[in-house]
Amino acid sequence: MDVCKIHENTSKCSVSSMECFMVLSTQAQKISIATLCGLFGTLCIFENSLVLYLIFSSPGTRRKPSYLFISSLALADILASIIFVCSFVNFHVFNVTNFSKEMFLLQLGGVNTSFSASLSSLLLTALDRYISISRPSEYKLLMTRKRAWIALGVLWVTCVTIASLPLLGWNCCTLDSTCSELFPFVDDRYLSSWVCFTMVLLGCIAYAYTHVLWRAHQHVAYMEKHQVQVGKQNTRMRMDVMLAKTLAMVLTVLVLCWSPALVLMIYSIFARLSDHLRKVFAFCSTLCLLNSMVNPIIYALRSKELNSSLRMVFSRFRRQLKGSEESPEAESTHRSSMIET
């Protein structure tokens, strides 16, 4: 039976009305969601924390604006993993409803902030590559560390502001308007605006990458034609081409992971969702965590600087591990020599 039908006569803003959004009806579905969230969330936190460590432990990477943007992306993905997994599992798996409307909207605002910041950080990274390839001679003058920090500040303030609007009053309870079928207390018009904001971000990223990849293709053709005369510029161009391809892979994964959830959000604005589709949306939401988990893997595989730093970290770890294994043997030898003496 449709749980929402049970609450037709219940206020849409009461705590009991939240039960109609708990769409996982079987234990197998709950275990599957909990397993996916636990696996993706744990790997995402570990991998993105490692990316942050590799960037800020190396003076060469932490000074570059492009890696500042990647750091912002990693930080946003860590926050998204923590907030999303905790709130999503508590709500859909353990069916916890002993919190107020304000607390739920605060959690939802945290999820929206982190995922919006993740997309916006990827947009800044795309614009950084756009400037680097389209205007290479002016790149260092245009993209300074100060401007990069200002851009990141504007990014996070904007994302926090947009995500806080339901908590500040733009919700269906305060406005007595149509509520979303996917999120409790969320106004349909706010959901439409957030989806439009997300689609604009994806469109800008796609446009920037299209231009970057087109210029990268031109650079490859130029290098093949004038390989002898290029010299140092050859290395710089190859680095730009490599990073452009890396970010294109990130964008592809982003679109594949976000498209199912966004399509269902758009569909819910214009039509009523069945219980089956709402269950599908719950599972599609975990793909956003998959995206956050895959991004650091792409960096480690494609970025030579991060790959080199990672190898150095593993090398130091192996030396320390080898030293700790040899120390008991050395101590035993020392003790036996003392006894013989």
Side-chain angles (χ1 to χ4, degrees):
M1 180 182 293
D2 189 351
V3 184
C4 287
K5 290 181 180 179
I6 301 176
H7 296 279
E8 280 180 351
N9 298 322
T10 308
S11 172
K12 62 185 178 182
C13 296
S14 65
V15 175
S16 60
S17 68
M18 297 177 64
E19 294 179 10
C20 78
F21 295 91
M22 299 175 180
V23 295
L24 302 183
S25 55
T26 67
Q27 196 67 21
Q29 293 173 354
K30 294 181 179 181
I31 293 175
S32 299
I33 283 288
T35 303
L36 291 174
C37 288
L39 178 62
F40 293 162
T42 302
L43 289 176
C44 180
I45 293 172
F46 171 75
E47 292 168 0
N48 283 288
S49 298
L50 181 60
V51 168
L52 287 177
Y53 173 77
L54 294 176
I55 291 176
F56 286 98
S57 63
S58 172
T61 55
R62 67 169 176 258
R63 293 196 187 100
K64 296 181 178 180
S66 58
Y67 284 104
L68 289 179
F69 299 146
I70 292 176
S71 300
S72 175
L73 177 61
L75 176 62
D77 286 337
I78 290 174
L79 294 177
S81 300
I82 296 173
I83 302 173
F84 178 84
V85 169
C86 292
S87 58
F88 198 78
V89 171
N90 277 338
F91 188 81
H92 284 290
V93 177
F94 298 110
N95 301 139
V96 176
T97 58
N98 58 344
F99 47 81
S100 62
K101 176 193 71 176
E102 288 74 19
M103 181 57 66
F104 177 84
L105 292 177
L106 180 62
Q107 293 177 0
L108 184 63
V111 174
N112 285 349
T113 296
S114 51
F115 279 131
S116 298
S118 179
L119 290 175
S120 302
S121 299
L122 192 55
L123 175 60
L124 287 182
T125 309
L127 294 177
D128 174 74
R129 289 300 90 202
Y130 178 90
I131 296 173
S132 175
I133 285 187
S134 61
R135 306 174 71 175
S137 60
E138 305 173 38
Y139 173 76
K140 290 187 177 180
L141 296 176
L142 294 174
M143 189 58 68
T144 61
R145 291 185 75 249
K146 181 179 179 180
R147 289 180 178 178
W149 281 111
I150 292 175
L152 288 175
V154 172
L155 178 158
W156 281 93
V157 169
T158 302
C159 291
V160 169
T161 301
I162 294 175
S164 301
L165 291 178
L167 185 62
L168 297 176
W170 192 356
N171 58 74
C172 60
C173 300
T174 303
L175 301 176
D176 194 22
S177 56
T178 305
C179 292
S180 167
E181 293 186 2
L182 294 174
F183 307 100
F185 315 127
V186 173
D187 181 75
D188 248 352
R189 287 172 295 180
Y190 172 79
L191 181 60
S192 303
S193 301
W194 188 84
V195 169
C196 289
F197 172 69
T198 303
M199 297 298 290
V200 168
L201 287 178
L202 290 174
C204 292
I205 294 171
Y207 173 80
Y209 280 134
T210 300
H211 184 84
V212 166
L213 294 176
W214 177 66
R215 293 300 297 266
H217 175 73
Q218 287 186 323
H219 283 178
V220 170
Y222 179 83
M223 287 186 294
E224 290 176 351
K225 186 176 181 180
H226 305 88
Q227 192 168 5
V228 179
Q229 295 92 338
V230 175
K232 289 185 178 180
Q233 192 178 5
N234 189 4
T235 304
R236 171 60 184 273
M237 286 182 178
R238 289 191 182 278
M239 289 176 62
D240 286 339
V241 171
M242 178 65 74
L243 192 49
K245 291 180 178 179
T246 299
L247 298 178
M249 291 173 62
V250 174
L251 176 63
T252 302
V253 172
L254 179 75
V255 172
L256 291 176
C257 290
W258 273 83
S259 293
L262 286 176
V263 168
L264 287 174
M265 285 184 194
I266 296 173
Y267 182 76
S268 71
I269 297 171
F270 300 101
R272 186 173 181 83
L273 294 178
S274 64
D275 281 354
H276 176 70
L277 284 179
R278 292 196 295 156
K279 289 178 184 178
V280 171
F281 177 77
F283 281 92
C284 288
S285 299
T286 61
L287 291 178
C288 301
L289 275 181
L290 177 62
N291 168 67
S292 299
M293 185 193 74
V294 170
N295 283 343
I297 298 176
I298 298 176
Y299 303 147
L301 292 176
R302 303 286 297 180
S303 172
K304 289 185 177 180
E305 291 174 294
L306 291 184
N307 208 353
S308 176
S309 299
L310 184 61
R311 285 197 300 268
M312 290 177 61
V313 169
F314 282 149
S315 178
R316 287 200 301 267
F317 178 75
R318 283 198 299 267
R319 286 199 300 268
Q320 292 176 358
L321 188 62
K322 186 177 180 181
S324 63
E325 290 176 351
E326 291 177 350
S327 57
E329 297 176 1
E331 185 178 353
S332 176
T333 304
H334 177 70
R335 285 180 178 178
S336 61
S337 63
M338 290 292 291
I339 292 173
E340 292 174 358
T341 304

